[in-house]
Amino acid sequence: MTAEERHLWYDFLKKLPIPVKRQKNIENYILDFYIPSAKLAIEIDGRQHKLPEHREQDRIRDEFLNGLGIAVVRYSNDDICNRFQAVAMDILNRLGLGFEDLRKG
């Protein structure tokens, strides 16, 4: 895992009251994080994902996962480093959870 992935995992996702899988294989893809109960993939993108060839690969990958009923949400390394609370809140909102749910987990 990258430093940003470790930060998201240890400081937030690991504390969720629902199972979260790290480095989950689905077909030919490895998802950074996957929440099976929500069918939600969380991807943390470095700078290379801004390059046209990577954006096209990401589009194809997201389309494939969407076809399996899996929603994909992407955050940049910059989001994790500089807007961590906003990322955490966005994930909680997508899961229908609140910060009070973290205390239960």
Side-chain angles (χ1 to χ4, degrees):
M1 287 196 299
T2 66
E4 292 80 10
E5 289 169 353
R6 282 192 303 274
H7 179 28
L8 185 63
W9 173 251
Y10 287 108
D11 298 326
F12 177 66
L13 292 175
K14 186 177 180 180
K15 299 173 184 177
L16 289 175
I18 57 176
V20 179
K21 308 287 185 184
R22 296 182 289 167
Q23 303 295 298
K24 171 68 176 165
N25 287 324
I26 295 185
E27 299 277 333
N28 295 326
Y29 298 108
I30 299 173
L31 308 180
D32 292 335
F33 302 101
Y34 180 60
I35 303 172
S37 62
K39 295 194 91 170
L40 178 67
I42 300 170
E43 293 294 307
I44 310 304
D45 294 341
R47 288 185 187 152
Q48 72 274 17
H49 288 267
K50 293 182 180 182
L51 298 172
E53 61 270 17
H54 280 276
R55 290 203 336 230
E56 179 61 12
Q57 290 171 357
D58 289 343
R59 185 193 65 73
I60 291 167
R61 173 187 168 123
D62 292 355
E63 214 171 78
F64 172 79
L65 293 169
N66 292 160
L68 296 176
I70 299 170
V72 180
V73 61
R74 293 180 172 278
Y75 304 103
S76 69
N77 285 342
D78 186 58
D79 291 332
I80 300 300
C81 292
N82 298 311
R83 290 176 286 288
F84 189 80
Q85 284 289 107
V87 169
M89 185 55 97
D90 185 55
I91 293 169
L92 288 173
N93 286 337
R94 290 171 187 273
L95 297 173
L97 299 173
F99 277 114
E100 65 280 356
D101 294 304
L102 293 179
R103 291 185 210 104
K104 298 175 193 171

